[in-house]
């Protein structure tokens, strides 16, 4: 499921642009039957982002920004870039969404979206007022279009794959459901670079080796730390890849489609 | 909620330090997510003096349930079996160990010293050290070979000098989540998940092993460390090259020969002169071979490998 | 006359190994103290007769926390004994291994060991208490988790060099076993950058490392704390303010005499290592500082002595150089605090100065001197604070430790910059007989190994660890050991929970497991009685 959250103060003109995006989307999606999308107006309560995003696979945050750029500029920023830990202070008002993302990851761990995109729109006027500047109004509509296009793609991929698996910091995350469905009983897996895809095969006998499938939380989600294999494939360690996964009966393993930067054809025992 | 108590005998804290490097789950995750309640740990405990004695006595009396008893380090029996050389909270550590092992649901030995006696138990074993249920290869150790903890399992041994944090956390998770029954242990009571495959499994130097290209001196990026530098990777059971250390590398990958530290004989040959970082050979053939190989097969294998080895195998393939 | 209450505290947890302390308390103040080291191991007995390189395997395992320091000493000891040549790259790789282990130890000791005491119930009244719980409570405190987690990062660099941390033996006479590639070096850079951007600057300092480096005096430090909200809110400033609030700046003074061997051999000046030229070839200078006379002098291994008057050994009555000792432990160790023997630790002394305190405070006070060469490291801050605050305290001793992050971080950068990847990392040495000595500074203080190789075997191996200096008992003259002395004058609020003693013990970061002293009998007969039949 995907959460789309608008942030900002609608009483301060352009500062409310994120809320406007969400409102427009709500109007458009009202009868489009997209139950996998959750829209939320977080306003100035940054901490709410944490609670609203919990359990989602994907998160989109929209906010205004003041970066001395041209008014109306749109920035599409991966969440990784903006997440920061809350500096200590004595009130909760300055607990912003970027802190909420940090806290959410910390607290909810795998139950918090790994795929986070933030749309920032450069504000022109943040004085008291309810109207957006013309440039910001335009950008607002543009962001709505971008997000709609994204949702359409998402719908398309969802239809053709049955699972999604994320790869982050050299680790492959398997939900408890996927583990139980395909890997139940195995403590290790072999990871093979196979015809431009990654093949993750459960290993049955301990003596065969393989990468350890670690239990990482009480729910029973697993992780396979394959840092050296993924490094060899030149996957960025900072990026998060969401990849479609499909069980291949022929290969007796889970096929992961990810953009492989440099095929190497070798096997990790 | 599972109560865990971690004590150290003749130890260097290396396993504790290794454990603190754990990630996913981290030591903190074990507490916050898996509900492991660390009653006390020498590096993390808050209690001092009398408060600690009270805590230990509460475990013994059953007032506090002791689910997991983790022991790191050797059991010191010197002098003359009294254990006075390693006292803890007012009495010999070995007495605490004996009594706590009897009240704990599970007993886990972490590291070589707790498993086999390790380095302190090397001849002449001045501290009369032993592991919890083994002394080197001999079954028995401090608790005796018939020992079973309250849950009916022998001591779960996680050897290694130190043990890798993932080996430790995954076993603690299994125990804390009631899946200890799924653990299958080998003859040294090591979890098979980790100790069935060899250290060599996954080593980046395997290709050089196959073509018998030797690393003849330290500091070479190429070659296999088995032929000249005494690497025990092919004979040692551990997952060091498939569960990387500090998520980066392994000794053999970096160029340091495996010392075989998950096996009961470590340190091998009692570090006799001429045995350190040198392959022991008889007429050019290693005295110890990968399991299942004999001298004839070894000679056939290496002769064929050498003959078949392509030119590039001798060239530096890990370029700067 | 007031009543003297005697308190036995066993064990003072959270210093590695088991340290027992006895204190006499009069009117709530400690008036006398004894430290007792409980654990006997026997690495030196084990090493006798072994392969000369056995020290490289065994001694890093003497301590799981400063294994790289032991390895450094073991390697340099053999280098000086075998008169090897050590390539430039190898010196850098050794230094780097040592440095990343030290920097790892800073947040780990701080959050994992030292700060836990700050949430003791005795400090509930402090205005910083709530903040302390929120930040530093074990496992649940916000910065506790960050600090403990981040401490795992620098040793990833050690793993790049040595395959793993702890307990690698990648340093060997003649160099190192590894030969890192460019990817290893760039990965190391990014690991350090991560350390800096995720803990060092945002959480620990609240400012850039560059800004922190501008602090040269006590006044600078106090001004820095108030300069910006970020500074004032940093873990460093909060540590300092809470220390002052709960009085940690008032006790834990100690002897006022300090020692460091110095460390980090210069990559160009120490390629032909000898014992005698070491002092002129190290980046971080050696020295002894005596606060009473405000005098700095160089330190050398020839000054080291051991005194067993109050330790469980039957040996010469005169202090002996460690190398000339025939270690002879007493099997029936009975504790006698009343003028007798009461510990396994010997009193390690300077031939002229007597007991000396080792550790980061000692290093920092020596860096404030003028006795070193111009290219060697110097830093006046801690000596300035020491003088203006009227000597040492728990607060300053721990501050000195954490202050080292600055020098260590920069020296790590130096090593990474200086590698020449196409040049060798190892030069095969010729094995020979001889005497060697290798020294370094572990995070917690001065460490050194002596080795004597005869007939291709180890004839004698001796180790003096930082804690051997600090946790030693009284000397024959009755001078208390460094920690014993530092315990004097402590106010004990609740003798059921003497957290104050813990503060002092932990400010030394004692590590008893590496107090390596044991039997070294010349005949097998003497050894026999240690065996179980």
């Amino acid at each position: 499921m995907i959460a789309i959250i608008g942030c900002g103060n609608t009483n301060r003109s352009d500062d409310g642009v994120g809320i406007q995006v969400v409102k427009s989307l709500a109007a458009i999606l009202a009868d489009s039957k997209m139950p996998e999308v959750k829209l939320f107006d977080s306003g100035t309560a940054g901490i709410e982002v944490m609670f609203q995003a919990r359990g989602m696979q994907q998160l989109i945050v929209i906010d205004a920004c003041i970066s001395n750029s041209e008014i109306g500029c749109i920035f599409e920023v991966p969440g990784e870039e903006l997440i920061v830990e809350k500096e200590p202070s004595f009130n909760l008002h300055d607990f912003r969404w970027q802190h909420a993302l940090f806290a959410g990851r910390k607290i909810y761990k795998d139950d918090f979206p790994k795929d986070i995109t933030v749309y920032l729109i450069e504000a022109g006027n943040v004085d008291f007022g309810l109207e957006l500047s013309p440039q910001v109004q335009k950008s607002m509509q543009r962001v709505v279009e971008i997000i709609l296009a994204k949702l359409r793609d998402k719908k398309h991929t969802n239809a053709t794959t049955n699972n999604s698996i994320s790869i982050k910091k050299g680790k492959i995350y398997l939900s408890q459901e996927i583990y139980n469905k395909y890997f139940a009983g195995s403590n290790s897996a072999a990871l093979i670079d196979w015809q431009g895809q990654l093949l993750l095969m459960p290993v049955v006998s301990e003596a065969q080796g393989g990468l350890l499938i670690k239990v990482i939380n009480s729910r029973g989600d697993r992780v396979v730390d394959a840092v050296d294999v993924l490094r060899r494939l030149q996957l960025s360690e900072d990026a998060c890849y969401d990849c479609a996964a499909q069980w291949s009966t022929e290969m007796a393993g889970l096929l992961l489609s990810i953009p492989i930067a440099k095929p190497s054809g070798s096997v990790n025992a | 909620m599972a109560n865990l108590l971690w004590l150290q005998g003749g130890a260097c804290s290396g396993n504790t330090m290794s454990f603190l490097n754990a990630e996913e789950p981290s030591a903190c995750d074990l507490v916050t997510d898996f509900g492991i309640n660390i009653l006390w740990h020498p590096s993390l405990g808050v209690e001092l003096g009398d408060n600690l004695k009270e805590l230990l006595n509460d475990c013994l009396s059953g007032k506090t349930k002791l689910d997991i008893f983790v022991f790191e380090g050797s059991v010191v029996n010197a002098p003359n079996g009294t254990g006075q050389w390693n006292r803890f909270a007012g009495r010999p550590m070995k007495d605490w160990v004996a009594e706590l092992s009897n009240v704990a649901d599970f007993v886990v030995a972490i590291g070589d010293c707790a498993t086999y006696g390790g380095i302190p138990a090397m001849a002449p074993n001045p501290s009369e050290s032993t592991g919890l249920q083994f002394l080197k290869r001999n079954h028995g150790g401090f608790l005796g070979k018939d020992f079973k903890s309250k849950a009916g399992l022998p001591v779960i041994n996680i050897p290694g000098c130190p043990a890798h944090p993932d080996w430790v956390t995954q076993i603690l998770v299994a125990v804390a989540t009631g899946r200890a029954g799924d653990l299958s242990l080998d003859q040294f009571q090591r979890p098979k998940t980790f100790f069935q495959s060899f250290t060599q499994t996954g080593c980046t130097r395997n290709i050089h092993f196959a073509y018998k290209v030797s690393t003849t001196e330290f500091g070479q990026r190429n070659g296999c460390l088995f032929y000249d530098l005494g690497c025990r990777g092919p004979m040692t059971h551990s997952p060091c090259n498939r569960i990387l250390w500090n998520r980066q590398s392994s000794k053999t990958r970096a160029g340091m020969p495996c010392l075989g530290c998950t096996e009961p004989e470590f340190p091998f040959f009692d570090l006799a002169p001429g045995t350190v970082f040198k392959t022991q050979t008889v007429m050019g053939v290693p005295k110890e071979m990968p399991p299942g190989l004999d001298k004839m097969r070894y000679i056939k294998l290496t002769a064929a490998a050498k003959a078949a080895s392509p030119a590039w195998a001798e060239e530096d393939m890990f370029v700067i | 006359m007031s009543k003297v209450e005697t308190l036995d505290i066993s064990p003072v947890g959270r210093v590695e190994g088991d340290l027992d302390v006895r204190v006499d308390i009069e009117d709530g103040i400690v008036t006398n103290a004894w430290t007792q080291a409980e654990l006997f191991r026997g690495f030196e007995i084990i090493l006798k007769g072994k392969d000369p390189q056995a020290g490289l395997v065994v001694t890093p395992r003497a301590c799981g926390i400063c294994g790289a320091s032991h390895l450094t000493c073991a390697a340099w000891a053999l280098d000086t004994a075998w008169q090897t040549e050590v390539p430039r790259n190898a010196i850098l790789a050794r230094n780097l291994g040592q440095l990343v282990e030290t920097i790892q130890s800073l947040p780990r000791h701080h959050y994992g060991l030292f700060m836990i005491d700050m949430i003791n119930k005795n400090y509930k009244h402090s205005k910083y208490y709530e903040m302390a719980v929120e930040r530093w409570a074990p496992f649940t405190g916000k910065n506790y988790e960050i600090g403990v987690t981040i401490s795992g990062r620098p040793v990833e660099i050690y793993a790049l060099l040595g395959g793993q941390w702890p307990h690698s033996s990648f340093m060997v006479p003649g160099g190192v076993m590894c030969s890192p590639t460019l990817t290893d070096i760039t990965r190391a850079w990014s690991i350090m950058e991560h350390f800096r951007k995720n803990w060092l600057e945002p959480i620990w300092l609240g400012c850039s490392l560059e800004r922190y480096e501008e602090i040269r005096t006590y006044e600078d430090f106090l001004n820095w704390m108030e300069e910006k909200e970020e500074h004032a809110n940093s873990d460093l400033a909060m540590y300092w303010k809470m220390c002052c609030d709960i009085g940690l700046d008032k006790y834990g003074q100690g002897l006022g005499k300090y020692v460091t061997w110095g460390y980090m051999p210069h990559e160009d000046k120490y390629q032909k290592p000898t014992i005698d030229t070491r002092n002129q070839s190290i980046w971080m200078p050696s020295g002894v500082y005596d606060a009473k006379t405000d005098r700095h002098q160089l330190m050398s291994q020839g000054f080291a002595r051991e005194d067993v008057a109050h330790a469980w050994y039957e040996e010469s009555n005169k202090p002996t150089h460690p190398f000339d000792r025939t270690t002879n432990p007493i099997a029936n160790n009975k504790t006698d605090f009343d003028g007798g023997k009461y510990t396994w630790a010997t009193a390690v002394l300077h031939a002229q100065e007597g007991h000396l305190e080792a550790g980061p405070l000692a290093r920092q006070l020596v860096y404030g001197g003028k006795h070193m060469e111009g290219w060697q490291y110097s830093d006046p801050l801690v000596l300035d604070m020491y003088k203006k605050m009227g000597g040492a305290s728990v607060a300053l001793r721990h501050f000195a430790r954490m202050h080292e992050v600055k020098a260590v971080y920069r020296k790590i950068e130096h090593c990474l910059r200086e590698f020449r990847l196409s040049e060798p990392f190892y030069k095969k040495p010729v094995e020979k007989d001889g005497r060697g000595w290798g020294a370094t500074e572990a995070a917690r203080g001065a460490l050194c190994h002596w080795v004597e190789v005869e007939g291709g075997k180890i004839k004698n191996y001796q180790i003096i660890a930082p804690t051997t200096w600090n946790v030693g008992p009284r000397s024959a003259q009755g001078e208390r050991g460094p920690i014993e002395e530092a315990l004097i004058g402590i106010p004990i609020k609740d003798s059921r929970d003497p957290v104050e003693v813990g503060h002092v013990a932990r400010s030394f970061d004692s590590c008893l497991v590496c107090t390596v002293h044991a039997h070294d009998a010349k005949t097998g007969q003497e050894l026999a009685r240690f065996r179980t039949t």
Side-chain angles (χ1 to χ4, degrees), chain A residues 109 169-171 173 187-188 206-207 209-218 225 227-228 231 268-269, chain B residues 23-25 29 32-34 166 170 173 179 184 192-194 196-197 201-202 242-244 247-248 253:
Chain A
K109 308 227 163 75
K169 299 211 161 148
K171 298 172 202 167
Y173 289 83
N187 290 318
S188 45
E206 278 89 3
L211 303 164
L212 178 65
I213 306 178
K214 281 201 274 184
V215 189
I216 49 170
N217 55 31
S218 48
D225 195 340
V227 66
D228 56 335
R231 235 177 232 155
N268 187 76
Chain B
E23 266 184 53
E24 307 224 63
D29 294 339
T32 55
D33 196 20
F34 288 96
D166 281 354
Q170 291 304 296
V173 162
R179 293 188 303 110
S184 77
K192 285 188 183 170
T193 311
F194 302 115
Q196 276 282 97
S197 61
T201 314
R242 48 193 198 92
I243 304 171
L244 295 185
R247 301 195 68 234
Q248 301 299 323
R253 287 185 182 197

Side-chain angles (χ1 to χ4, degrees), chain B residues 12 21 42-43 45 85 161 274, chain C residues 14 16 38 51 61 64 108 179:
Chain B
C12 68
N21 287 338
S43 292
W85 282 358
C161 190
Chain C
R14 263 174 292 140
E16 312 301 335
E38 287 282 23
D51 188 284
R61 290 169 156 88
R108 187 163 290 182
S179 41

Side-chain angles (χ1 to χ4, degrees), chain B residues 57-124:
Chain B
N57 284 322
D58 284 350
C59 288
L60 293 180
S61 70
K63 192 170 159 200
T64 305
K65 188 170 180 316
L66 180 56
D67 297 285
I68 310 172
F69 174 45
V70 174
F71 195 65
E72 173 183 4
S74 65
V75 181
V76 172
N77 290 297
N80 306 319
T82 61
Q84 290 292 343
W85 282 358
N86 177 19
R87 282 191 299 237
F88 178 76
R91 56 198 288 231
M93 177 60 99
K94 77 180 184 72
D95 296 351
W96 288 115
V97 173
E99 291 173 21
L100 289 164
S101 297
N102 281 328
V103 298
D105 274 355
F106 297 95
V107 179
V108 183
I110 290 185
D112 264 27
C113 300
T115 302
Y116 312 116
I119 287 186
M122 260 177 84

